[in-house]
Amino acid sequence: MKKGILVLLLLLSPAAMAGKIYGDVVVDRVGTVIDGDSFKVDIDEWPPILGKGITVRINEIDTPELRGKCPYEKQLAREAKQFSVSVLRAGSRVELRNIRRGKYFRVIADVFVDGVDLGSQLLEQKLARRYKKRREGWCD
């Protein structure tokens, strides 16, 4: 029995799940928007332990940090967060596509609001850049 639990825990580890895609889902409620590329959602079709107040990060997108290293980064971070808030709150249907688990057990997904890719919108507005496996600085 103990060996089976250990195997299950290893299979469910963030490292084991990082590359696996878990499909798509429609969000029932958007909660707190943490920053430009992360927010919390409720997904009623998932068990509450997995689907209530879960943090979602937009796949392959990096927005500046609110606690940035320079005034420029902090200002851009506020703009990115406000943009995401306005898009997520105005939308009637939020979909998570190509769902994965990230290294911090967060949900990583392509986020579509009323059929439009939020990550692409952030890039077009110059409020984000493509995430390339490590963060790049926003300050000179």
PDB file of all heavy atoms in Angstrom, residues 64-83:
ATOM      1  N   PRO A  64       5.435  42.362 -16.383  1.00  0.00           N
ATOM      2  CA  PRO A  64       6.296  42.917 -15.332  1.00  0.00           C
ATOM      3  C   PRO A  64       5.715  42.652 -13.942  1.00  0.00           C
ATOM      4  O   PRO A  64       4.511  42.445 -13.780  1.00  0.00           O
ATOM      5  CB  PRO A  64       6.305  44.417 -15.630  1.00  0.00           C
ATOM      6  CG  PRO A  64       5.801  44.556 -17.011  1.00  0.00           C
ATOM      7  CD  PRO A  64       4.935  43.388 -17.290  1.00  0.00           C
ATOM      8  N   GLU A  65       6.586  42.678 -12.952  1.00  0.00           N
ATOM      9  CA  GLU A  65       6.193  42.415 -11.565  1.00  0.00           C
ATOM     10  C   GLU A  65       5.757  43.702 -10.868  1.00  0.00           C
ATOM     11  O   GLU A  65       6.393  44.743 -11.029  1.00  0.00           O
ATOM     12  CB  GLU A  65       7.356  41.791 -10.797  1.00  0.00           C
ATOM     13  CG  GLU A  65       7.776  40.437 -11.348  1.00  0.00           C
ATOM     14  CD  GLU A  65       6.666  39.406 -11.294  1.00  0.00           C
ATOM     15  OE1 GLU A  65       5.963  39.320 -10.259  1.00  0.00           O
ATOM     16  OE2 GLU A  65       6.480  38.685 -12.299  1.00  0.00           O
ATOM     17  N   LEU A  66       4.678  43.600 -10.097  1.00  0.00           N
ATOM     18  CA  LEU A  66       4.199  44.763  -9.333  1.00  0.00           C
ATOM     19  C   LEU A  66       5.236  45.228  -8.319  1.00  0.00           C
ATOM     20  O   LEU A  66       5.305  46.404  -7.991  1.00  0.00           O
ATOM     21  CB  LEU A  66       2.879  44.426  -8.635  1.00  0.00           C
ATOM     22  CG  LEU A  66       1.697  44.228  -9.582  1.00  0.00           C
ATOM     23  CD1 LEU A  66       0.531  43.553  -8.869  1.00  0.00           C
ATOM     24  CD2 LEU A  66       1.269  45.555 -10.182  1.00  0.00           C
ATOM     25  N   ARG A  67       6.057  44.304  -7.832  1.00  0.00           N
ATOM     26  CA  ARG A  67       7.147  44.665  -6.921  1.00  0.00           C
ATOM     27  C   ARG A  67       8.455  44.747  -7.697  1.00  0.00           C
ATOM     28  O   ARG A  67       9.487  44.234  -7.265  1.00  0.00           O
ATOM     29  CB  ARG A  67       7.274  43.624  -5.823  1.00  0.00           C
ATOM     30  CG  ARG A  67       6.092  43.565  -4.913  1.00  0.00           C
ATOM     31  CD  ARG A  67       6.381  42.645  -3.775  1.00  0.00           C
ATOM     32  NE  ARG A  67       5.143  42.020  -3.319  1.00  0.00           N
ATOM     33  CZ  ARG A  67       5.082  41.109  -2.403  1.00  0.00           C
ATOM     34  NH1 ARG A  67       6.180  40.659  -1.829  1.00  0.00           N
ATOM     35  NH2 ARG A  67       3.936  40.594  -2.033  1.00  0.00           N
ATOM     36  N   GLY A  68       8.392  45.351  -8.847  1.00  0.00           N
ATOM     37  CA  GLY A  68       9.531  45.428  -9.757  1.00  0.00           C
ATOM     38  C   GLY A  68      10.730  46.149  -9.187  1.00  0.00           C
ATOM     39  O   GLY A  68      10.686  46.743  -8.108  1.00  0.00           O
ATOM     40  N   LYS A  69      11.802  46.114  -9.967  1.00  0.00           N
ATOM     41  CA  LYS A  69      13.081  46.672  -9.528  1.00  0.00           C
ATOM     42  C   LYS A  69      13.259  48.136  -9.878  1.00  0.00           C
ATOM     43  O   LYS A  69      14.214  48.754  -9.438  1.00  0.00           O
ATOM     44  CB  LYS A  69      14.218  45.850 -10.122  1.00  0.00           C
ATOM     45  CG  LYS A  69      14.221  44.426  -9.614  1.00  0.00           C
ATOM     46  CD  LYS A  69      15.365  43.635 -10.191  1.00  0.00           C
ATOM     47  CE  LYS A  69      15.323  42.231  -9.626  1.00  0.00           C
ATOM     48  NZ  LYS A  69      16.353  41.390 -10.173  1.00  0.00           N
ATOM     49  N   CYS A  70      12.362  48.688 -10.695  1.00  0.00           N
ATOM     50  CA  CYS A  70      12.489  50.098 -11.065  1.00  0.00           C
ATOM     51  C   CYS A  70      11.086  50.678 -11.270  1.00  0.00           C
ATOM     52  O   CYS A  70      10.121  49.931 -11.457  1.00  0.00           O
ATOM     53  CB  CYS A  70      13.335  50.257 -12.323  1.00  0.00           C
ATOM     54  SG  CYS A  70      12.589  49.566 -13.817  1.00  0.00           S
ATOM     55  N   PRO A  71      10.952  52.000 -11.258  1.00  0.00           N
ATOM     56  CA  PRO A  71       9.632  52.624 -11.451  1.00  0.00           C
ATOM     57  C   PRO A  71       8.968  52.243 -12.777  1.00  0.00           C
ATOM     58  O   PRO A  71       7.759  52.046 -12.827  1.00  0.00           O
ATOM     59  CB  PRO A  71       9.936  54.122 -11.398  1.00  0.00           C
ATOM     60  CG  PRO A  71      11.178  54.228 -10.587  1.00  0.00           C
ATOM     61  CD  PRO A  71      11.972  52.995 -10.912  1.00  0.00           C
ATOM     62  N   TYR A  72       9.754  52.093 -13.842  1.00  0.00           N
ATOM     63  CA  TYR A  72       9.191  51.717 -15.139  1.00  0.00           C
ATOM     64  C   TYR A  72       8.504  50.355 -15.057  1.00  0.00           C
ATOM     65  O   TYR A  72       7.385  50.178 -15.536  1.00  0.00           O
ATOM     66  CB  TYR A  72      10.281  51.698 -16.211  1.00  0.00           C
ATOM     67  CG  TYR A  72       9.811  51.117 -17.527  1.00  0.00           C
ATOM     68  CD1 TYR A  72       8.953  51.841 -18.359  1.00  0.00           C
ATOM     69  CD2 TYR A  72      10.196  49.838 -17.919  1.00  0.00           C
ATOM     70  CE1 TYR A  72       8.496  51.303 -19.550  1.00  0.00           C
ATOM     71  CE2 TYR A  72       9.745  49.303 -19.115  1.00  0.00           C
ATOM     72  CZ  TYR A  72       8.893  50.033 -19.923  1.00  0.00           C
ATOM     73  OH  TYR A  72       8.437  49.495 -21.091  1.00  0.00           O
ATOM     74  N   GLU A  73       9.179  49.368 -14.468  1.00  0.00           N
ATOM     75  CA  GLU A  73       8.601  48.035 -14.351  1.00  0.00           C
ATOM     76  C   GLU A  73       7.325  48.060 -13.516  1.00  0.00           C
ATOM     77  O   GLU A  73       6.324  47.435 -13.874  1.00  0.00           O
ATOM     78  CB  GLU A  73       9.601  47.051 -13.742  1.00  0.00           C
ATOM     79  CG  GLU A  73       9.032  45.643 -13.621  1.00  0.00           C
ATOM     80  CD  GLU A  73      10.012  44.616 -13.088  1.00  0.00           C
ATOM     81  OE1 GLU A  73      11.124  44.987 -12.664  1.00  0.00           O
ATOM     82  OE2 GLU A  73       9.649  43.427 -13.095  1.00  0.00           O
ATOM     83  N   LYS A  74       7.339  48.789 -12.417  1.00  0.00           N
ATOM     84  CA  LYS A  74       6.157  48.859 -11.550  1.00  0.00           C
ATOM     85  C   LYS A  74       4.973  49.503 -12.265  1.00  0.00           C
ATOM     86  O   LYS A  74       3.842  49.036 -12.158  1.00  0.00           O
ATOM     87  CB  LYS A  74       6.489  49.624 -10.270  1.00  0.00           C
ATOM     88  CG  LYS A  74       7.461  48.888  -9.371  1.00  0.00           C
ATOM     89  CD  LYS A  74       7.839  49.732  -8.181  1.00  0.00           C
ATOM     90  CE  LYS A  74       8.931  49.067  -7.365  1.00  0.00           C
ATOM     91  NZ  LYS A  74       9.370  49.890  -6.240  1.00  0.00           N
ATOM     92  N   GLN A  75       5.225  50.553 -13.018  1.00  0.00           N
ATOM     93  CA  GLN A  75       4.155  51.228 -13.757  1.00  0.00           C
ATOM     94  C   GLN A  75       3.588  50.320 -14.850  1.00  0.00           C
ATOM     95  O   GLN A  75       2.381  50.196 -15.004  1.00  0.00           O
ATOM     96  CB  GLN A  75       4.660  52.538 -14.371  1.00  0.00           C
ATOM     97  CG  GLN A  75       3.625  53.263 -15.219  1.00  0.00           C
ATOM     98  CD  GLN A  75       2.358  53.631 -14.448  1.00  0.00           C
ATOM     99  OE1 GLN A  75       2.401  53.985 -13.278  1.00  0.00           O
ATOM    100  NE2 GLN A  75       1.217  53.509 -15.099  1.00  0.00           N
ATOM    101  N   LEU A  76       4.474  49.666 -15.595  1.00  0.00           N
ATOM    102  CA  LEU A  76       4.035  48.752 -16.648  1.00  0.00           C
ATOM    103  C   LEU A  76       3.267  47.568 -16.046  1.00  0.00           C
ATOM    104  O   LEU A  76       2.279  47.103 -16.624  1.00  0.00           O
ATOM    105  CB  LEU A  76       5.240  48.272 -17.459  1.00  0.00           C
ATOM    106  CG  LEU A  76       4.940  47.659 -18.813  1.00  0.00           C
ATOM    107  CD1 LEU A  76       4.196  48.635 -19.724  1.00  0.00           C
ATOM    108  CD2 LEU A  76       6.244  47.206 -19.472  1.00  0.00           C
ATOM    109  N   ALA A  77       3.690  47.116 -14.889  1.00  0.00           N
ATOM    110  CA  ALA A  77       2.992  46.020 -14.201  1.00  0.00           C
ATOM    111  C   ALA A  77       1.567  46.433 -13.820  1.00  0.00           C
ATOM    112  O   ALA A  77       0.627  45.647 -13.975  1.00  0.00           O
ATOM    113  CB  ALA A  77       3.770  45.601 -12.960  1.00  0.00           C
ATOM    114  N   ARG A  78       1.407  47.653 -13.340  1.00  0.00           N
ATOM    115  CA  ARG A  78       0.054  48.142 -13.001  1.00  0.00           C
ATOM    116  C   ARG A  78      -0.821  48.217 -14.253  1.00  0.00           C
ATOM    117  O   ARG A  78      -1.992  47.849 -14.217  1.00  0.00           O
ATOM    118  CB  ARG A  78       0.136  49.502 -12.304  1.00  0.00           C
ATOM    119  CG  ARG A  78       0.629  49.412 -10.861  1.00  0.00           C
ATOM    120  CD  ARG A  78       0.501  50.723 -10.113  1.00  0.00           C
ATOM    121  NE  ARG A  78       1.365  51.774 -10.634  1.00  0.00           N
ATOM    122  CZ  ARG A  78       2.621  51.984 -10.247  1.00  0.00           C
ATOM    123  NH1 ARG A  78       3.168  51.233  -9.327  1.00  0.00           N
ATOM    124  NH2 ARG A  78       3.325  52.966 -10.782  1.00  0.00           N
ATOM    125  N   GLU A  79      -0.238  48.683 -15.353  1.00  0.00           N
ATOM    126  CA  GLU A  79      -0.992  48.768 -16.612  1.00  0.00           C
ATOM    127  C   GLU A  79      -1.382  47.372 -17.113  1.00  0.00           C
ATOM    128  O   GLU A  79      -2.510  47.167 -17.571  1.00  0.00           O
ATOM    129  CB  GLU A  79      -0.170  49.496 -17.674  1.00  0.00           C
ATOM    130  CG  GLU A  79       0.023  50.968 -17.393  1.00  0.00           C
ATOM    131  CD  GLU A  79       0.946  51.643 -18.395  1.00  0.00           C
ATOM    132  OE1 GLU A  79       1.025  51.170 -19.558  1.00  0.00           O
ATOM    133  OE2 GLU A  79       1.595  52.632 -18.023  1.00  0.00           O
ATOM    134  N   ALA A  80      -0.460  46.413 -17.024  1.00  0.00           N
ATOM    135  CA  ALA A  80      -0.749  45.046 -17.470  1.00  0.00           C
ATOM    136  C   ALA A  80      -1.841  44.421 -16.612  1.00  0.00           C
ATOM    137  O   ALA A  80      -2.768  43.781 -17.126  1.00  0.00           O
ATOM    138  CB  ALA A  80       0.525  44.197 -17.413  1.00  0.00           C
ATOM    139  N   LYS A  81      -1.760  44.631 -15.310  1.00  0.00           N
ATOM    140  CA  LYS A  81      -2.792  44.083 -14.423  1.00  0.00           C
ATOM    141  C   LYS A  81      -4.149  44.706 -14.735  1.00  0.00           C
ATOM    142  O   LYS A  81      -5.152  43.995 -14.849  1.00  0.00           O
ATOM    143  CB  LYS A  81      -2.433  44.323 -12.955  1.00  0.00           C
ATOM    144  CG  LYS A  81      -3.504  43.804 -12.015  1.00  0.00           C
ATOM    145  CD  LYS A  81      -3.166  44.019 -10.560  1.00  0.00           C
ATOM    146  CE  LYS A  81      -4.301  43.513  -9.683  1.00  0.00           C
ATOM    147  NZ  LYS A  81      -3.983  43.637  -8.251  1.00  0.00           N
ATOM    148  N   GLN A  82      -4.195  46.013 -14.883  1.00  0.00           N
ATOM    149  CA  GLN A  82      -5.461  46.686 -15.172  1.00  0.00           C
ATOM    150  C   GLN A  82      -6.044  46.229 -16.505  1.00  0.00           C
ATOM    151  O   GLN A  82      -7.249  46.039 -16.632  1.00  0.00           O
ATOM    152  CB  GLN A  82      -5.293  48.211 -15.154  1.00  0.00           C
ATOM    153  CG  GLN A  82      -6.605  48.952 -15.289  1.00  0.00           C
ATOM    154  CD  GLN A  82      -7.640  48.505 -14.259  1.00  0.00           C
ATOM    155  OE1 GLN A  82      -7.356  48.423 -13.067  1.00  0.00           O
ATOM    156  NE2 GLN A  82      -8.844  48.207 -14.707  1.00  0.00           N
ATOM    157  N   PHE A  83      -5.177  46.009 -17.496  1.00  0.00           N
ATOM    158  CA  PHE A  83      -5.647  45.512 -18.786  1.00  0.00           C
ATOM    159  C   PHE A  83      -6.283  44.140 -18.613  1.00  0.00           C
ATOM    160  O   PHE A  83      -7.392  43.891 -19.107  1.00  0.00           O
ATOM    161  CB  PHE A  83      -4.484  45.453 -19.786  1.00  0.00           C
ATOM    162  CG  PHE A  83      -4.915  45.000 -21.151  1.00  0.00           C
ATOM    163  CD1 PHE A  83      -5.439  45.899 -22.059  1.00  0.00           C
ATOM    164  CD2 PHE A  83      -4.806  43.667 -21.525  1.00  0.00           C
ATOM    165  CE1 PHE A  83      -5.853  45.492 -23.318  1.00  0.00           C
ATOM    166  CE2 PHE A  83      -5.214  43.243 -22.777  1.00  0.00           C
ATOM    167  CZ  PHE A  83      -5.741  44.156 -23.679  1.00  0.00           C
TER     168      PHE A  83
END
